[in-house]
Amino acid sequence: MTNNHSPAAIRVHGLRKSYGSQVVLDGIDFEVATGTVFSMLGPNGAGKTTTVQILSTLISADGGQVQVGGHDLALDPDGVRSAIGVTGQFSAVDKFLTGEENLVLMADLRHMGRSGGRRRAAELLEQFDLADAAGKPVSTYSGGMQRRLDLAMTLVGDPRIIFLDEPTAGLDPRSRRTMWQIVRGLVASGVTVFLTTQYLEEADQLSDRIAVLDHGKLVAQGTAAELKRLVPGGHMSLQFGDAAVFERATRLLEPTARDDEALTLDLPGSGDVRSLKSMLDRLDGVGIEVDGLTIHTPDLDDVFLSLTGRPEANLEPRPETQSDTREAIAR
Amino acid sequence: MNAIAYTVSDSATMLRRQLRHMVRYPSLTVLVVGMPVIFLLLFVFVFGGTLGSGLGPAGAVGGAAAAAGASGGRSAYLEYVVPGILVMTIAAVVQGTAISVAMDMTGGIVARFRTMSISRASVLTGHVLGSMVQAALAIILVFGVAVLIGFRPSASPMEWLGVVGILAIASFALIWLCVALGMVTDSVETASNIPMPLILLPFLGSGFVPTDSMPGPLRLFAEYQPYTPIIETLRGLLTSTSFGNQAILAVAWCVAIAALSYVWAMRLYEKHSVR
């Protein structure tokens, strides 16, 4: 939850954006506390990149109030620009220059002076494990190296608020973990990070708060633990062979859900060995055969799919609006 | 530092970036210089003998041509065609400008520049200044080749100053035009083709043959298109002959093209859609 002691680094209220008749952002609200990681999670086309582009002054909003680093986005975009660093989804490096030249270019544009710029470039090359490739043209870099350089360029002026639009998209697992370490290091030094991702594990690993964006609306936000509580908890599913056995088992056990078509019962429980054994012993005692057993523990995937997995046929407005979700969190 | 100092410093940074590109990847510069040199050699040595004889007394330059005897036609034509080739050199340079602007705009780097607190004009100013340097180099090289094959301009120091001035202002105008053209399209390929007419237009003016040798409507177009006064002024200055009001027309065209292109380019840059 928002820390009352530190002011919000990013405040967004009623943010709207449409392209023609297509509504991309339909009035979203959120706050990001200073020194925390805020993840915006959503499927492709949900409006994540549009949000980053608006907050980083690349495109203008159609409505709503936004403050970034204490600067109003509409009134003082240059103030916002001086407070932020952005690493977009597409590589924003100059491929004709070397890694070092790219970093010095950023330092020059931030007016850091010749020696100050060179020193900072050298530090970042070291920190991002690019020192060996510093003098090589970026066009010879691997994908992971380009991503690291991209982020290093963002950090040249020590911005206090950083936007990362899908920072690990297309990276191999090792590079992804390196990127996570870098993000953790940034937050430890007091930087605020706003990141978008499609990877639930990434949001779970890094974020203090997560917002789920779907069709231009925030359908849920909270900590990873809070979001996991939104979906049905852990359960065991039992599958039976015929209707008679199914009926007997239903009377014996106390299922939280039954599916008469599929002949499955859902039972509460996290699926630990003891409760599993006692349940199977009870069924065994009265001679009931179980055809199949699955154990289900909730993760962010459940949250993601249950909040954004709207069937195509069901086009009417969703019951879980943002305020409902907040109530759910309060409960 | 105040706003103007920042603009100057950011533009200088962007110019350094362009110059570095030029040094590291000289192929574009070579291409840009190569094309007009080939046209110069082609027109002087292949067509020049015949075209030179057709220039009439106005084109031939007295004693020099007469003394050269049989090759008089060719050397007279060399003298005639150099201004057109110089304008074509500028057109080739600005085609490169359009390509490099388009490459910048379609890559992510400009999006990064826009999220930084830097002077808005500096990205484009960097391209313009870089292209001016490239144009100067290209013109000097092409001029060098012309001198090597026998071009001997008779301009006075003041006339030389005029030549430099006209070439600079024409380059400036066409560079801004191509900065805008480089942003009109979303693809580098298209951006490289859009400025093609700029390279062909000298043919439809007084660049390669006198306009009064052309049929009616074409002649009208050739006499009033912007390249013609620029070429006529250059020709007059280089050969120390009179060029009437052509210089005023040339400057007026350049100022108008530069001003409109600048406004157009800045507007395109501001609203250029983000990937």
Side-chain angles (χ1 to χ4, degrees):
Chain A
M1 302 272 103
T2 310
N3 186 341
N4 289 328
H5 299 294
S6 57
I10 304 171
R11 256 183 239 277
V12 174
H13 182 68
L15 183 62
R16 296 180 173 280
K17 178 74 184 177
S18 307
Y19 289 108
S21 62
Q22 194 203 347
V23 178
V24 181
L25 293 175
D26 193 6
I28 63 171
D29 307 83
F30 62 87
E31 282 193 7
V32 182
T34 301
T36 65
V37 181
F38 183 93
S39 292
M40 186 168 263
L41 194 60
N44 290 332
K48 303 187 297 288
T49 296
T50 304
T51 308
V52 171
Q53 288 177 340
I54 291 173
L55 297 187
S56 62
T57 77
L58 276 173
I59 55 178
S60 57
D62 294 343
Q65 283 97 50
V66 178
Q67 281 196 330
V68 179
H71 305 275
D72 188 291
L73 188 71
L75 303 176
D76 184 16
D78 231 35
V80 172
R81 287 183 198 119
S82 61
I84 64 170
V86 187
T87 297
Q89 232 179 94
F90 300 100
S91 147
V93 297
D94 188 331
K95 291 193 178 176
F96 296 125
L97 301 182
T98 66
E100 186 182 19
E101 284 167 347
N102 266 290
L103 291 166
V104 171
L105 173 68
M106 291 298 118
D108 288 346
L109 292 173
R110 292 206 181 257
H111 313 116
M112 289 168 68
R114 184 133 297 221
S115 60
R118 281 182 189 285
R119 200 165 47 239
R120 184 73 179 123
E123 265 171 38
L124 285 164
L125 286 166
E126 196 61 48
Q127 187 188 338
F128 283 78
D129 201 17
L130 292 167
D132 292 340
K136 293 194 185 126
V138 175
S139 47
T140 65
Y141 283 25
S142 71
M145 286 164 81
Q146 285 199 20
R147 277 265 159 201
R148 293 209 296 279
L149 177 65
D150 209 323
L151 185 53
M153 286 167 73
T154 301
L155 300 181
V156 166
D158 290 309
R160 304 310 294 160
I161 301 169
I162 290 176
F163 293 92
L164 304 174
D165 193 7
E166 305 205 1
T168 62
L171 290 189
D172 62 56
R174 185 187 299 275
S175 305
R176 179 168 303 162
R177 264 155 218 287
T178 310
M179 194 60 92
W180 289 353
Q181 284 307 322
I182 292 166
V183 172
R184 290 195 187 102
L186 286 173
V187 177
S189 67
V191 169
T192 308
V193 176
F194 177 105
L195 71 89
T196 71
T197 182
Q198 296 186 45
Y199 302 114
L200 301 140
E201 192 197 354
E202 185 161 288
D204 206 358
Q205 286 273 340
L206 294 175
S207 328
D208 296 294
R209 275 177 77 75
I210 299 168
V212 183
L213 187 67
D214 187 35
H215 289 75
K217 281 185 156 70
L218 286 184
V219 292
Q221 58 177 310
T223 62
E226 284 167 346
L227 291 180
K228 286 175 191 170
R229 256 179 260 141
L230 284 178
V231 290
H235 63 264
M236 299 175 279
S237 282
L238 295 175
Q239 166 85 52
F240 297 96
D242 66 77
V245 176
F246 176 70
E247 279 303 324
R248 284 175 59 205
T250 309
R251 280 195 298 277
L252 178 70
L253 305 166
E254 285 152 11
T256 49
R258 55 182 285 177
D259 185 335
D260 291 356
E261 301 270 312
L263 303 179
T264 58
L265 294 178
D266 284 358
L267 301 172
S270 57
D272 58 298
V273 176
R274 184 185 294 266
S275 63
L276 203 59
K277 184 169 188 304
S278 85
M279 181 198 63
L280 291 174
D281 284 347
R282 281 175 75 191
L283 291 170
D284 212 30
V286 293
I288 295 177
E289 288 263 326
V290 178
D291 277 20
L293 168 71
T294 51
I295 295 166
H296 197 86
T297 49
D299 56 18
L300 274 181
D301 277 315
D302 296 318
V303 182
F304 189 76
L305 292 173
S306 82
L307 290 172
T308 67
R310 185 179 348 187
E312 285 303 314
N314 178 11
L315 290 173
E316 67 250 40
R318 304 166 57 82
E320 313 98 303
T321 60
Q322 206 182 327
S323 57
D324 289 342
T325 310
R326 280 200 178 133
E327 273 169 41
I329 292 175
R331 274 198 250 92
Chain B
M1 277 201 278
N2 59 25
I4 293 173
Y6 276 137
T7 305
V8 171
S9 127
D10 291 346
S11 300
T13 303
M14 292 300 181
L15 170 61
R16 275 204 299 281
R17 170 172 178 254
Q18 293 303 329
L19 294 180
R20 207 159 256 156
H21 285 183
M22 224 180 285
V23 171
R24 198 134 313 151
Y25 296 91
S27 54
L28 193 62
T29 312
V30 170
L31 220 65
V32 147
V33 177
M35 206 270 295
V37 166
I38 288 169
F39 269 88
L40 176 66
L41 299 179
L42 181 73
F43 270 83
V44 170
F45 291 108
V46 178
F47 308 130
T50 306
L51 286 173
S53 344
L55 282 175
V61 197
S71 70
R74 181 163 291 122
S75 78
Y77 188 71
L78 171 63
E79 189 154 283
Y80 184 83
V81 84
V82 166
I85 294 290
L86 291 178
V87 170
M88 188 182 249
T89 308
I90 298 174
V93 169
V94 299
Q95 190 182 19
T97 309
I99 294 172
S100 80
V101 168
M103 270 167 61
D104 249 12
M105 293 293 154
T106 50
I109 189 90
V110 167
R112 180 188 286 286
F113 291 150
R114 282 158 194 272
T115 64
M116 297 175 70
S117 179
I118 58 176
S119 142
R120 298 303 257 177
S122 63
V123 176
L124 301 186
T125 312
H127 275 287
V128 170
L129 296 177
S131 294
M132 287 295 281
V133 171
Q134 203 171 22
L137 289 174
I139 286 170
I140 289 168
L141 283 169
V142 170
F143 216 99
V145 173
V147 170
L148 271 181
I149 61 171
F151 181 55
R152 297 287 179 269
S154 54
S156 69
M158 277 310 285
E159 283 167 335
W160 272 113
L161 215 60
V163 168
V164 172
I166 287 286
L167 287 171
I169 189 175
S171 303
F172 187 75
L174 292 180
I175 287 168
W176 270 111
L177 177 62
C178 277
V179 166
L181 291 177
M183 285 187 288
V184 178
T185 63
D186 290 332
S187 85
V188 177
E189 290 78 8
T190 319
S192 76
N193 288 326
I194 291 183
M196 270 316 248
L198 295 179
I199 291 177
L200 296 177
L201 267 181
F203 287 105
L204 306 180
S206 64
F208 292 84
V209 290
T211 53
D212 50 19
S213 65
M214 298 177 189
L218 182 59
R219 176 179 174 177
L220 209 65
F221 174 80
E223 276 171 4
Y224 289 99
Q225 66 127 322
Y227 276 154
T228 296
I230 297 171
I231 291 168
E232 287 305 310
T233 307
L234 285 173
R235 189 170 287 140
L237 288 167
L238 287 169
T239 56
S240 289
T241 51
S242 73
F243 45 84
N245 63 353
Q246 295 293 320
I248 296 161
L249 271 176
V251 172
W253 269 114
C254 290
V255 169
I257 292 171
L260 288 175
S261 302
Y262 173 80
V263 172
W264 188 25
M266 288 310 285
R267 193 177 286 175
L268 283 171
Y269 182 71
E270 284 300 325
K271 69 170 198 188
H272 196 272
S273 62
V274 188
R275 283 210 301 178

